[in-house]
Amino acid sequence: MPAGRRTVARSLAEPTVEVRRSVDAATILTVYIVVLLSIRSVLVVPALGTAGAPATIVAIGAFLWWVWYHVQRFYRIDLGFQPLRFAVLGLLLTVMASYVLAMSGPMPGNELTPADSGLLKMIGLAGLAMVASEGISSLDRLHAVARRLVIGIGLVAVLGLAQFVTREALVDRISIPGLSARGIEIGLYERSGMPRLSGTSTHPIEYGVILSTVLPVVIVYALHAPTRRWLYRAILVVVSITIFMVISRSAILCTAVAIIVLALRWTWRMRLVALGCGAAISGLVYLLVPGMLGVITGLFVGAGDDASVASRTDSYGVAFQFIARDPWLGRGPGTFLPQYWILDNQYLGHTIETGLIGMAALLAVILVAAFTARSAREAATTDFDRELAQGLLAAILAGATAMAFYDLFAFPQSSGCFILVVGLSGALYRLVRQRPTEPSPGIHDAAVGPHVAPPDVAGR
C-alpha cells in the first residue's frame, strides 16, 4: 500500500480527539488569585454576610466546578494515590459533621449565620485545594499559576509601600457596585507612631501573613526562574521591605520559618549571601525609616509586657473550658464569635469549633501537604521543580506557624493563600511522578474532558 494510503487508513481507524482550550483549572485559579488580592477583603455581597466575599464566591464556584466535572465525565481517570484528596475531604467532612451536630440542637440566634458562613468558607477552600491538586494538567500550567501568585503578591506589596509613603489606605477610594464593607472602617493602623500597612487585606496581620507565606515561592523564582529573574528579584526586594513595614510578630516569625526551611537545601555560600541580603535590606529600612528597626526589635524584647501577647497566653484557659464542653466535634464552625474571646490562635479556635476530630483533620492536611511537597522534591527531574517543591514546603510550614499566632481561616486572603500552596504541592506531587509520555488526567477543559469522536468506519 502506498505511504499516502497507509496514512489515510490509519487516520480513519484511530479516534479523533478534539481538545477545547477555553477554561482549565489554571484559569480558574488565576481568576481566584486576581479576585483574592485585588478586592479589599472587607467588601462582601451584603445578603451573604461574611461568606459573600468575592474570593469566597469564586472558591465555592471552584468546588461546584470540581464536583460537576466528576459527576458528568464519561471516562475513567486514574490519578494514582492522592493523599491530599483524602486529607482535604476528611477535613471538609469533619466540618460538615460539626455543622450538622450544632444545627441539631439549640443555638443562639447570633451564631446561626456565622455557622453557615463557616461551612461555606470551608467548602470553598476544599474546592480550591481539589481544583489545584487534581485539575492542573501540566507542569507548565502549574508554573503559570505559581508565577501569577508571585506577581500578585508583588503588586500588593507595592501597594503597601505606596500606603506607607502617602500615609493613606488608598483602597478606600475604590467602590465596587454590589459590594459593601459592612460598616467596617478602612484605614491604616498604627504601632508606636509608625503606620502599619494592610494592602487590600482586612488587617495588617493578615497582610503580613500572606506576604510571608508566599515569600519562599518568590525566593525560588528570584533565584531559579528560567526567565525574567530581574522581575522576580525586584518583587523579592519589595516584598521583603514590606514585611518589615507591616510591624507584625506573626509576619516576622513566619518569614524566619520559611527562610530556615529554604536554607536547608542551600549551600553555605548561598546561606552567607542570604544573610548579607537580609542585612542589606535591614540597613535600607534603617536608613529610609528611622526608628523602624527599633519598633520591630521592641516586638520581641518587650513581648512580656505586650497586651496582645498576654491575650494570647490567657486564651488557653478559656479555650480548654470550651473544648471540654464539646470535645469531639465542637460547637460548630464559625460559632466561636469574637465577642466571646479573641484567641489569635487557629489551632485553639478550630478545636473549639470542630472538636478534637476536626483538629486531627486539620493537622492531617498540614502534614500530608508537607509530605507531598517533600515527595515531589525527591521525584522532580529538574532543578527548578525541586526548588519549587522546597519553596512550597516552606510556604506550608510558614502558614502552619501563622496558625499558632493568628486566626488564619477567619480571613479570606490568608486562608486562600495557604490553601493555594497546599493545592499546588498536591499538583506538583502528581505531575512530577508521571512518566514523560503519560498524559495528565487533570481537569483540562471547562469541566468537561477531551471530546473523543468515534472512528469513521463508514468511509472504509
Side-chain angles (χ1 to χ4, degrees):
M1 181 183 293
R5 290 191 61 188
R6 283 200 302 269
T7 303
V8 173
R10 187 174 64 177
S11 66
L12 291 174
E14 292 179 347
T16 59
V17 180
E18 301 173 18
V19 180
R20 295 185 291 274
R21 296 291 181 185
S22 53
V23 177
D24 65 356
T27 305
I28 297 296
L29 295 172
T30 300
V31 171
Y32 177 77
I33 291 170
V34 172
V35 172
L36 178 72
L37 298 179
S38 64
I39 299 178
R40 291 176 291 166
S41 293
V42 298
L43 294 179
V44 299
V45 177
L48 300 179
T50 57
T56 302
I57 295 173
V58 174
I60 294 173
F63 177 82
L64 297 175
W65 188 66
W66 176 78
V67 170
W68 173 244
Y69 168 76
H70 286 288
V71 167
Q72 60 81 49
R73 61 183 171 85
F74 56 88
Y75 54 92
R76 181 180 180 275
I77 61 173
D78 183 12
L79 295 174
F81 177 63
Q82 296 296 313
L84 191 60
R85 171 196 286 183
F86 294 101
V88 170
L89 293 183
L91 176 61
L92 177 59
L93 288 176
T94 59
V95 172
M96 293 176 68
S98 176
Y99 175 84
V100 171
L101 182 63
M103 290 297 171
S104 64
M107 284 185 66
N110 62 339
E111 294 181 2
L112 292 174
T113 299
D116 295 338
S117 297
L119 177 62
L120 291 173
K121 290 176 183 177
M122 185 55 64
I123 289 174
L125 294 177
L128 288 172
M130 291 297 95
V131 167
S133 64
E134 298 185 0
I136 297 177
S137 58
S138 67
L139 285 172
D140 286 341
R141 297 301 282 160
L142 184 148
H143 296 159
V145 175
R147 182 170 64 247
R148 292 160 188 171
L149 178 60
V150 167
I151 293 173
I153 284 294
L155 291 175
V156 296
V158 170
L159 172 62
L161 293 183
Q163 290 175 335
F164 182 84
V165 171
T166 62
R167 296 298 198 272
E168 296 183 6
L170 300 178
V171 293
D172 56 347
R173 303 176 183 179
I174 302 173
S175 177
I176 301 177
L179 300 181
S180 169
R182 297 171 291 143
I184 299 176
E185 294 292 332
I186 301 174
L188 293 183
Y189 294 79
E190 286 193 359
R191 173 172 267 171
S192 302
M194 295 284 184
R196 300 183 66 190
L197 315 180
S198 57
T200 56
S201 303
T202 305
H203 192 274
I205 296 180
E206 180 186 24
Y207 186 52
V209 166
I210 66 170
L211 293 176
S212 56
T213 298
V214 184
L215 175 66
V217 184
V218 176
I219 293 175
V220 168
Y221 270 82
L223 297 178
H224 305 285
T227 59
R228 295 189 293 182
R229 288 188 188 178
W230 63 270
L231 172 62
Y232 303 122
R233 289 174 179 176
I235 291 174
L236 175 58
V237 172
V238 172
V239 170
S240 301
I241 293 175
T242 308
I243 289 175
F244 274 101
M245 302 296 194
V246 175
I247 317 178
S248 167
R249 267 184 297 264
S250 300
I252 298 296
L253 291 172
C254 292
T255 299
V257 169
I259 293 177
I260 289 172
V261 175
L262 280 178
L264 294 177
R265 279 188 54 82
W266 291 346
T267 62
W268 278 106
R269 179 177 178 276
M270 179 63 71
R271 292 168 186 168
L272 291 175
V273 170
L275 286 175
C277 292
I281 291 175
S282 299
L284 183 62
V285 172
Y286 176 79
L287 292 175
L288 296 179
V289 190
M292 176 62 75
L293 292 184
V295 173
I296 294 174
T297 303
L299 294 176
F300 299 93
V301 174
D305 300 324
D306 194 295
S308 63
V309 174
S311 175
R312 287 179 172 92
T313 55
D314 293 342
S315 297
Y316 289 96
V318 175
F320 291 150
Q321 292 178 16
F322 278 92
I323 293 170
R325 297 175 189 173
D326 304 282
W328 300 114
L329 285 173
R331 55 186 285 116
T335 58
F336 190 75
L337 306 180
Q339 55 259 40
Y340 300 158
W341 196 275
I342 297 178
L343 296 172
D344 278 330
N345 188 313
Q346 181 60 50
Y347 296 113
L348 289 180
H350 193 76
T351 306
I352 291 173
E353 294 181 348
T354 62
L356 296 174
I357 296 176
M359 183 69 239
L362 175 59
L363 291 176
V365 169
I366 295 171
L367 294 175
V368 169
F371 165 79
T372 57
R374 183 177 181 276
S375 299
R377 184 192 69 199
E378 295 176 352
T381 57
T382 66
D383 289 338
F384 179 75
D385 286 332
R386 280 190 284 269
E387 297 300 334
L388 180 59
Q390 187 72 10
L392 291 173
L393 174 61
I396 291 165
L397 296 181
T401 301
M403 291 187 194
F405 306 100
Y406 161 73
D407 301 321
L408 186 140
F409 284 167
F411 298 86
Q413 287 190 349
S414 56
S415 58
C417 286
F418 176 74
I419 211 68
L420 276 173
V421 296
V422 166
L424 291 177
S425 71
L428 188 59
Y429 171 81
R430 171 174 57 85
L431 293 168
V432 297
R433 293 167 70 241
Q434 290 175 354
R435 293 185 297 273
T437 57
E438 180 182 340
S440 170
I443 303 175
H444 299 284
D445 314 290
V448 294
H451 175 70
V452 181
D456 183 9
V457 297
R460 293 186 180 179

mmCIF file of all heavy atoms in Angstrom, residues 3 11 66 89 115 130 157 193 226 252 287 370 385 407 427:
data_model
loop_
_atom_site.group_PDB
_atom_site.id
_atom_site.type_symbol
_atom_site.label_atom_id
_atom_site.label_comp_id
_atom_site.label_asym_id
_atom_site.label_seq_id
_atom_site.Cartn_x
_atom_site.Cartn_y
_atom_site.Cartn_z
ATOM 1 N N ALA A 3 2.431 4.890 0.752
ATOM 2 C CA ALA A 3 2.516 5.551 2.062
ATOM 3 C C ALA A 3 1.327 6.454 2.309
ATOM 4 O O ALA A 3 0.795 6.527 3.401
ATOM 5 C CB ALA A 3 3.825 6.357 2.149
ATOM 6 N N SER A 11 -5.553 7.077 9.865
ATOM 7 C CA SER A 11 -6.312 8.189 10.415
ATOM 8 C C SER A 11 -7.788 7.860 10.521
ATOM 9 O O SER A 11 -8.480 8.354 11.395
ATOM 10 C CB SER A 11 -6.106 9.438 9.544
ATOM 11 O OG SER A 11 -6.665 9.229 8.269
ATOM 12 N N TRP A 66 -15.536 21.482 40.294
ATOM 13 C CA TRP A 66 -14.834 20.213 40.507
ATOM 14 C C TRP A 66 -15.821 19.064 40.662
ATOM 15 O O TRP A 66 -15.647 17.994 40.078
ATOM 16 C CB TRP A 66 -13.938 20.331 41.737
ATOM 17 C CG TRP A 66 -13.238 19.067 42.121
ATOM 18 C CD1 TRP A 66 -12.123 18.534 41.539
ATOM 19 C CD2 TRP A 66 -13.610 18.176 43.181
ATOM 20 N NE1 TRP A 66 -11.771 17.363 42.175
ATOM 21 C CE2 TRP A 66 -12.656 17.119 43.186
ATOM 22 C CE3 TRP A 66 -14.631 18.171 44.121
ATOM 23 C CZ2 TRP A 66 -12.718 16.071 44.098
ATOM 24 C CZ3 TRP A 66 -14.690 17.130 45.035
ATOM 25 C CH2 TRP A 66 -13.750 16.091 45.015
ATOM 26 N N LEU A 89 -10.658 16.278 51.910
ATOM 27 C CA LEU A 89 -12.055 15.864 52.033
ATOM 28 C C LEU A 89 -12.364 15.396 53.446
ATOM 29 O O LEU A 89 -13.484 15.573 53.933
ATOM 30 C CB LEU A 89 -12.358 14.759 51.018
ATOM 31 C CG LEU A 89 -12.306 15.184 49.545
ATOM 32 C CD1 LEU A 89 -12.685 14.025 48.641
ATOM 33 C CD2 LEU A 89 -13.219 16.385 49.287
ATOM 34 N N ALA A 115 -22.292 30.245 61.499
ATOM 35 C CA ALA A 115 -22.114 28.810 61.250
ATOM 36 C C ALA A 115 -22.279 28.498 59.774
ATOM 37 O O ALA A 115 -21.494 27.727 59.192
ATOM 38 C CB ALA A 115 -23.115 28.012 62.082
ATOM 39 N N MET A 130 -8.809 21.007 45.765
ATOM 40 C CA MET A 130 -9.059 19.918 44.826
ATOM 41 C C MET A 130 -8.803 20.340 43.378
ATOM 42 O O MET A 130 -8.217 19.601 42.592
ATOM 43 C CB MET A 130 -10.504 19.429 44.975
ATOM 44 C CG MET A 130 -10.802 18.705 46.284
ATOM 45 S SD MET A 130 -9.857 17.173 46.475
ATOM 46 C CE MET A 130 -8.456 17.758 47.422
ATOM 47 N N ALA A 157 2.361 44.135 47.507
ATOM 48 C CA ALA A 157 3.475 44.679 48.283
ATOM 49 C C ALA A 157 3.795 46.108 47.845
ATOM 50 O O ALA A 157 4.073 46.976 48.681
ATOM 51 C CB ALA A 157 4.708 43.784 48.125
ATOM 52 N N GLY A 193 3.638 54.855 66.754
ATOM 53 C CA GLY A 193 3.734 56.008 65.884
ATOM 54 C C GLY A 193 4.052 55.692 64.439
ATOM 55 O O GLY A 193 4.129 56.609 63.617
ATOM 56 N N PRO A 226 13.575 30.314 35.045
ATOM 57 C CA PRO A 226 14.292 30.229 33.759
ATOM 58 C C PRO A 226 14.405 31.572 33.053
ATOM 59 O O PRO A 226 15.376 31.809 32.336
ATOM 60 C CB PRO A 226 13.433 29.249 32.950
ATOM 61 C CG PRO A 226 12.607 28.508 33.953
ATOM 62 C CD PRO A 226 12.378 29.461 35.072
ATOM 63 N N ILE A 252 7.056 38.268 60.977
ATOM 64 C CA ILE A 252 8.495 38.044 61.162
ATOM 65 C C ILE A 252 8.775 36.577 61.469
ATOM 66 O O ILE A 252 9.703 35.964 60.915
ATOM 67 C CB ILE A 252 9.036 38.940 62.293
ATOM 68 C CG1 ILE A 252 8.850 40.428 61.937
ATOM 69 C CG2 ILE A 252 10.505 38.632 62.552
ATOM 70 C CD1 ILE A 252 9.616 40.885 60.733
ATOM 71 N N LEU A 287 17.852 53.186 57.150
ATOM 72 C CA LEU A 287 18.183 54.495 56.585
ATOM 73 C C LEU A 287 16.934 55.242 56.115
ATOM 74 O O LEU A 287 16.822 56.458 56.306
ATOM 75 C CB LEU A 287 19.148 54.328 55.414
ATOM 76 C CG LEU A 287 20.561 53.836 55.759
ATOM 77 C CD1 LEU A 287 21.362 53.600 54.496
ATOM 78 C CD2 LEU A 287 21.265 54.848 56.666
ATOM 79 N N ALA A 370 2.735 18.836 53.543
ATOM 80 C CA ALA A 370 4.191 18.877 53.687
ATOM 81 C C ALA A 370 4.824 17.613 53.097
ATOM 82 O O ALA A 370 5.876 17.675 52.434
ATOM 83 C CB ALA A 370 4.573 19.025 55.160
ATOM 84 N N ASP A 385 11.983 22.483 39.497
ATOM 85 C CA ASP A 385 10.871 21.834 40.177
ATOM 86 C C ASP A 385 11.267 21.364 41.574
ATOM 87 O O ASP A 385 10.444 21.376 42.499
ATOM 88 C CB ASP A 385 10.354 20.658 39.348
ATOM 89 C CG ASP A 385 9.559 21.117 38.133
ATOM 90 O OD1 ASP A 385 8.971 22.202 38.194
ATOM 91 O OD2 ASP A 385 9.557 20.396 37.111
ATOM 92 N N ASP A 407 -5.786 33.855 63.745
ATOM 93 C CA ASP A 407 -6.932 33.074 63.259
ATOM 94 C C ASP A 407 -6.923 33.055 61.729
ATOM 95 O O ASP A 407 -7.687 33.769 61.080
ATOM 96 C CB ASP A 407 -8.243 33.683 63.774
ATOM 97 C CG ASP A 407 -8.293 33.723 65.292
ATOM 98 O OD1 ASP A 407 -7.822 32.759 65.919
ATOM 99 O OD2 ASP A 407 -8.788 34.716 65.850
ATOM 100 N N ALA A 427 -0.551 19.208 43.355
ATOM 101 C CA ALA A 427 -0.421 19.152 41.892
ATOM 102 C C ALA A 427 1.004 18.795 41.480
ATOM 103 O O ALA A 427 1.218 17.977 40.572
ATOM 104 C CB ALA A 427 -0.827 20.497 41.286
#
